[in-house]
Amino acid sequence: MNYQNILVDTQDGVSTITINRPSKLNALNKETIQELHDAFKDLDGDSETLVIIITGSGEKAFVAGADISEFADYSVSQGEQLAAQGQALLFDFVAHLSTPVIAAVNGFALGGGLELAMSAHFRIASDNAKMGLPEVSLGVIPGYGGTQRLPQLVGKGRAMEMIMTAGMIDAETAAQYGLVNHVTSQDELIPLAEKLAGKIKRNSLVAINAAIAAINAGYEDGENGFDTEITEFGRCFGTADFKEGTQAFLEKRKPQFPGK
Ligand code: COA
């Protein structure tokens, strides 16, 4: 597919999506959100893609937020629609994707940028990264899931402080808070994401899909994560991956997962 604002590259089972509007610090305009949706959907259905990495182009920003120039004159209903559409197309979509998604945060991840990173299944960051939800400094609140995912990741008190002060935290603090799992130099960021992707793709992706569904269920209203875990656990027993994984263990060899 041809995209204006993103780049997609697939190698050895790992697809990297790079948001590519560096002159606007990779801010998420509507077109970019739609392109990201299309790319994630496409890669999720692509048998060559086992893991997805999302990052930003340039050395300064992952994503500096939603594109402020697009919504500055919006009405109440347009604002609500902006948040609803964005959540459905991109943020919830990525959080529930069956293919594992790693965010490689290579610089500023602000507002919608941090919300996108938080929608990924986990995050790593370069040591120059700065993260925050500065929306209240613009007279608005996070609308792409930030009020929910930030407290889930860092705890309610820290999320309250970050959102109320509109401040930024550095990569080390983000690691201390549990917002990112690892911090490395900018040069090492993508190699580290690829190394982690390499470890993931050796495992059963069918089982990983089940784990994503069970973990997410614990954070969904009206769902019982333990019940989902029981169902998904049982479902694994009917997969070819389970037969291969257990057989390979008993035969003392490495499994070759068929991925179904
Ligand atoms: N939406 C639209 N454009 C944005 C943007 C955003 N969220 N963030 C940055 N840009 C644009 C700037 O307008 C500027 O464009 P221009 O060169 O055409 O004027 C360009 O990106 C570079 O940004 P600039 O502000 O000049 O860089 P800086 O190094 O001085 O500051 C930031 C970097 C990240 C601190 C600053 O850009 C910023 O505060 N951005 C907005 C962050 C935000 O509030 N995000 C939440 C949105 S809900």
Side-chain angles (χ1 to χ4, degrees):
M1 262 194 243
N2 267 339
Y3 299 112
Q4 299 301 312
N5 303 308
I6 63 172
L7 307 168
V8 181
D9 178 52
T10 301
Q11 276 177 43
D12 298 330
V14 180
S15 291
T16 302
I17 302 176
T18 305
I19 302 164
N20 190 31
R21 291 182 82 211
S23 67
K24 296 291 175 194
L25 302 185
N26 303 322
L28 295 176
N29 59 2
K30 277 192 192 158
E31 194 184 26
T32 308
I33 288 180
Q34 183 63 52
E35 288 189 358
L36 285 167
H37 169 84
D38 294 343
F40 275 112
K41 190 170 177 191
D42 192 40
L43 294 174
D44 197 39
D46 169 24
S47 58
E48 300 288 297
T49 295
L50 308 177
V51 181
I52 300 171
I53 297 169
I54 173 94
T55 193
S57 73
E59 301 200 331
K60 202 168 163 183
F62 173 71
V63 170
D67 192 321
I68 299 167
S69 65
E70 271 190 349
F71 60 74
D73 61 355
Y74 271 17
S75 67
V76 170
S77 62
Q78 285 174 307
E80 204 176 308
Q81 207 188 0
L82 180 75
Q85 275 181 353
Q87 290 194 18
L89 271 180
L90 184 57
F91 300 85
D92 268 9
F93 190 75
V94 169
H96 293 97
L97 212 69
S98 54
T99 307
V101 181
I102 305 171
V105 179
N106 58 307
F108 287 115
L110 302 175
L114 181 54
E115 289 171 302
L116 178 58
M118 291 193 295
S119 297
H121 298 127
F122 66 89
R123 291 140 294 285
I124 62 173
S126 54
D127 48 19
N128 63 312
K130 294 252 182 330
M131 284 159 256
L133 293 178
E135 284 86 348
V136 298
S137 70
L138 298 166
V140 67
I141 66 167
Y144 289 148
T147 64
Q148 305 306 300
R149 292 198 178 96
L150 188 62
Q152 285 166 7
L153 287 164
V154 306
K156 187 176 171 186
R158 285 170 172 160
M160 285 280 191
E161 181 179 338
M162 282 177 69
I163 290 172
M164 287 180 194
T165 61
M168 295 183 207
I169 57 171
D170 61 19
E172 284 302 336
T173 308
Q176 263 175 38
Y177 281 12
L179 186 52
V180 303
N181 294 3
H182 306 282
V183 178
T184 185
S185 65
Q186 204 161 27
D187 285 352
E188 287 301 313
L189 184 67
I190 296 301
L192 175 60
E194 287 170 348
K195 191 173 153 197
L196 292 163
K199 286 187 181 181
I200 293 170
K201 73 180 187 186
R202 284 202 294 265
N203 298 314
S204 161
L205 286 177
V206 181
I208 287 173
N209 297 349
I212 291 171
I215 293 168
N216 276 339
Y219 295 92
E220 311 283 348
D221 268 351
E223 280 198 47
N224 181 316
F226 290 96
D227 287 347
T228 306
E229 183 181 280
I230 290 167
T231 307
E232 293 292 338
F233 180 81
R235 207 167 59 82
C236 291
F237 284 69
T239 68
D241 274 13
F242 174 75
K243 304 266 175 308
E244 167 62 11
T246 47
Q247 201 62 37
F249 178 82
L250 296 172
E251 290 170 7
K252 300 191 188 305
R253 61 173 172 83
K254 289 210 163 111
Q256 295 290 330
F257 289 113
K260 48 189 177 63

